[in-house]
Amino acid sequence: MQIFGVDIGGTGIKGAPVDLDRGEPAQERHKVLTPHPATPEGVAGGVVEVVRNFSWDGPVGVTFPGVVTHGVTRTAANVDKAWIGLDAAALLTERLGGRQVTVLNDADAAGIAEMTYGAGRGVPGTVVLLTLGTGIGSALFRDGRLVPNTELGHLELKGHDAETRASVKAKEDGDLSWERWARRLDKYLAHVEMLFSPDLFILGGGVSRKPDKFVPLLENVRAPIVPAKLQNNAGIVGAAMAARDGLTR
């Protein structure tokens, strides 16, 4: 079965049809730059461009970098504030010609993909997935069940949102070495561990392609730390899964 998944990020909007039997894109994904400012209309245009690139006419799952409840976007840390309180599912449904659109938090999407097909498959207990990119997204699972919209990237770290110090963007903006960035990430992970006592950390986002650069430098966390197996495709796969599940509701 194939369903289309789109992953909206702070820097790019990417998507592809997803083979849900295998849990991976069925074709090479297409990506466009996220407009700045990332207004609803501008981002919706990017989503339409990605979907039309494949001449797709079925249901679509879309991730969003913020809290999403029943298709409404409630926060907008790394996109335009006009998203707050917007019925994003209705907007995207209209822009995509009336086809069914399911919208969910981006890290939650990555998490359900990793728990089904990737590094969290079959893992009992408490699992925390963190997506490291423009910000820090989070997905929390207990015995495979998602607790949605946790937004742990906004926990306070040294008086600031954690994502402003420990995200990949913070590393790039501060021109930090892997060692300096890993020290910040280590402190953040230790804080999350203190709060939730997870049995496993899964680290996703584009940086998951380079775990050897920083995972061995993380020294203050008890729980095992593994990179996301689906890497930067996890959000696309999870979005497609959500769209498929929406068909049965």
Side-chain angles (χ1 to χ4, degrees), residues 22-246:
R22 296 183 298 160
E24 60 186 39
Q27 301 180 48
E28 183 176 352
R29 70 190 190 191
H30 181 66
K31 180 177 179 179
V32 300
L33 294 178
T34 302
H36 292 285
T39 62
E41 283 298 327
V43 171
V47 172
V48 170
E49 182 178 344
V50 170
V51 174
R52 285 182 177 168
N53 181 73
F54 296 87
S55 300
W56 182 264
D57 62 0
V60 177
V62 180
T63 77
F64 178 79
V67 172
V68 182
T69 57
H70 308 293
V72 176
T73 47
R74 302 294 184 183
T75 64
N78 295 303
V79 291
D80 193 86
K81 301 305 179 187
W83 284 97
I84 297 174
L86 179 74
D87 190 336
L91 170 66
L92 293 170
T93 293
E94 178 185 0
R95 291 294 301 274
L96 287 169
R99 74 198 67 189
Q100 176 179 311
V101 177
T102 302
V103 182
L104 73 162
N105 174 267
D106 57 350
D108 286 349
I112 62 176
E114 283 293 329
M115 294 299 289
T116 304
Y117 302 105
R121 184 174 183 177
V123 177
T126 302
V127 177
V128 173
L129 174 135
L130 299 169
T131 57
L132 306 173
T134 304
I136 297 177
S138 64
L140 175 65
F141 295 85
R142 178 64 186 174
D143 291 332
R145 294 179 64 88
L146 172 68
V147 180
N149 293 311
T150 48
E151 293 289 278
L152 301 181
H154 300 299
L155 290 172
E156 184 177 308
L157 188 66
K158 290 189 174 294
H160 303 277
D161 266 13
E163 69 177 21
T164 67
R165 294 189 53 80
S167 66
V168 172
K169 184 176 187 297
K171 177 185 184 303
E172 294 171 348
D173 288 350
D175 195 24
L176 303 177
S177 66
W178 285 105
E179 291 76 13
R180 287 188 63 193
W181 180 65
R183 285 198 293 271
R184 292 187 180 188
L185 183 61
D186 204 25
K187 291 176 182 177
Y188 169 63
L189 293 176
H191 187 54
V192 174
E193 183 170 61
M194 181 270 294
L195 293 171
F196 296 98
S197 301
D199 297 285
L200 177 69
F201 278 109
I202 302 173
L203 302 184
V207 76
S208 62
R209 294 191 296 266
K210 304 174 183 178
D212 56 307
K213 297 286 189 181
F214 66 97
V215 172
L217 303 174
L218 304 174
E219 302 175 341
N220 294 311
V221 180
R222 171 195 55 79
I225 303 170
V226 298
K229 285 188 177 180
L230 279 67
Q231 298 182 350
N232 225 14
N233 285 329
I236 294 173
V237 174
M241 292 174 67
R244 175 199 59 194
D245 294 344

Side-chain angles (χ1 to χ4, degrees), residues 8-25:
I8 297 172
T11 58
I13 301 167
K14 54 189 181 291
V18 175
D19 182 336
L20 290 175
D21 294 322
R22 296 183 298 160
E24 60 186 39

